[in-house]
Amino acid sequence: MQRLPSSLRRLLPALLLSAAAVAPSAAHAAYPEAPIKMVVAYGAGGGTDIIARVMAPYIAKYLGNNASVVVMNRAGAGGGIGFGEIANAPADGYTIGFINTPNVLTIPIERKANFHWQNFDLLGNVIDDPGNFSVHAENPIRNLADLVAFAKANPGAVTYGTTGVGSDDHLAALMFERAAGVKFTHVPFKGAAEVHNAIASKQIVMAAMNIGEALQYAKGGTPLRQLGQMSASRTSLAPNVPTFKEQGYDIVMASLRGIGAPKGLPAPVREQLVNAIQKAAADPEFQAKAAGYFAPLRYLAPVRYEAELKEAEGGFRQLWTQMPWGDK
């Protein structure tokens, strides 16, 4: 066997050390190597929880590497507990979660919070669900005019449930109170499933919930009447439900439900997650399942998602100066 030149023999230990250092790094690049936690900041059974559980297997599918995405509920504080957990987790790609507007924007406006929307790596928006008012089908209130007439005759008697202070449901109800000159009584809950239970059992007069959630509960057998949807025009989900604008109240409000991760993900990991979420959102099988749950899909790539959040935050900051909802 030919002897190596002395110069190469001297370099050999360094080359071996270099190879040893590279090997673990290459192995570590096979993301994901462990289950990914997907945080939902609301209780089980609500619109966000359902779409998260429907979408998780598709995200895992497009990540590859035998990926597993596990949904975990962290309800409370209008979503603040879950949003904070996502924002403050290690930025390694193993914690992601849904962030909901307006809550992710309004909570830091109204009170001290351990997160801000800019603390997230935005991975893509999935849902855009217009607001809506629902009553039990046995309630004689059939439209917004009936609601206003009853509320004026019985100040404070209209109890309404929402997913928390500063939620889209809460802000929409406050806007409606001001526009109609009426007074309701707010009953905040930890998630849409609790609001649903309260309206189903007639513990509250009205549920302020997104139209997709309301239609899903109605399909499940809950006798609900939808009074109006807060979209610019009637949605394909609810073509027979008039908008607020049609009924004389120019109120447009919706909940974006997108996916974020702690700020500072490694670039390759972030790219994998963004691509997997985009492909999952476009998957015909996922879209069919989402339609079955009346989930109004609206995918936004991270750049567009960021632009919408930035614009919405400005609007809510202006609204806070006019109508500080935290005092209500």
Side-chain angles (χ1 to χ4, degrees):
M1 181 180 293
Q2 185 176 1
R3 285 175 59 88
L4 289 171
S6 59
S7 59
L8 286 180
R9 289 201 303 272
R10 289 194 296 271
L11 285 174
L12 190 57
L15 290 171
L16 291 174
L17 284 173
S18 177
V22 169
S25 176
H28 185 69
Y31 169 83
E33 298 178 303
I36 297 167
K37 179 170 68 175
M38 176 183 276
V39 175
V40 170
Y42 301 93
T48 306
D49 177 70
I50 288 171
I51 202 65
R53 293 180 188 278
V54 171
M55 193 175 197
Y58 293 91
I59 296 174
K61 170 186 173 181
Y62 289 110
L63 280 174
N65 297 322
N66 294 314
S68 172
V69 179
V70 182
V71 176
M72 304 189 74
N73 300 91
R74 295 288 187 266
I81 291 175
F83 302 152
E85 180 170 329
I86 300 166
N88 295 290
D92 55 10
Y94 291 98
T95 299
I96 63 174
F98 273 84
I99 54 176
N100 303 54
T101 66
N103 307 51
V104 75
L105 305 174
T106 57
I107 291 173
I109 293 173
E110 73 187 50
R111 62 183 185 266
K112 185 177 180 180
N114 64 347
F115 65 89
H116 184 273
W117 71 267
Q118 292 176 329
N119 298 141
F120 300 98
D121 267 342
L122 302 176
L123 305 176
N125 186 69
V126 180
I127 300 290
D128 186 349
D129 198 355
N132 159 73
F133 287 168
S134 299
V135 295
H136 196 282
E138 295 178 2
N139 192 309
I141 295 172
R142 306 195 69 82
N143 50 45
L144 296 183
D146 289 349
L147 176 64
V148 170
F150 179 82
K152 286 185 173 179
N154 305 275
V158 175
T159 52
Y160 71 98
T162 74
T163 54
V165 173
S167 64
D168 56 319
D169 320 309
H170 182 217
L171 296 183
L174 293 179
M175 290 176 179
F176 185 79
E177 283 181 299
R178 189 162 75 165
V182 296
K183 178 62 180 173
F184 299 153
T185 299
H186 183 209
V187 184
F189 292 93
K190 291 183 178 180
E194 291 186 13
V195 178
H196 162 245
N197 292 337
I199 193 69
S201 58
K202 303 180 186 178
Q203 296 176 45
I204 53 176
V205 173
M206 184 176 76
M209 64 169 63
N210 300 100
I211 189 68
E213 293 173 325
L215 293 174
Q216 173 197 321
Y217 293 135
K219 181 183 179 183
T222 303
L224 293 178
R225 179 181 301 120
Q226 323 312 335
L227 302 184
Q229 54 186 319
M230 301 172 203
S231 46
S233 58
R234 296 192 189 195
T235 63
S236 58
L237 288 178
N240 298 321
V241 177
T243 65
F244 273 52
K245 190 170 184 178
E246 288 177 72
Q247 300 180 71
Y249 299 95
D250 192 7
I251 297 174
V252 176
M253 181 68 73
S255 174
L256 291 181
R257 299 172 198 151
I259 301 176
K263 194 78 172 180
L265 290 179
V269 170
R270 184 177 186 278
E271 183 179 359
Q272 282 182 258
L273 284 166
V274 168
N275 289 340
I277 290 166
Q278 181 180 19
K279 289 176 181 177
D283 188 293
E285 187 176 85
F286 164 72
Q287 292 181 347
K289 289 183 179 179
Y293 288 106
F294 298 95
L297 298 175
R298 183 185 173 217
Y299 174 76
L300 294 175
V303 172
R304 286 189 61 203
Y305 188 22
E306 179 181 4
E308 292 234 1
L309 292 183
K310 186 174 182 179
E311 181 180 0
E313 182 189 34
F316 287 123
R317 287 195 179 279
Q318 184 177 4
L319 182 64
W320 175 257
T321 65
Q322 303 168 0
M323 191 182 70
W325 58 83
D327 297 335
K328 302 294 181 179

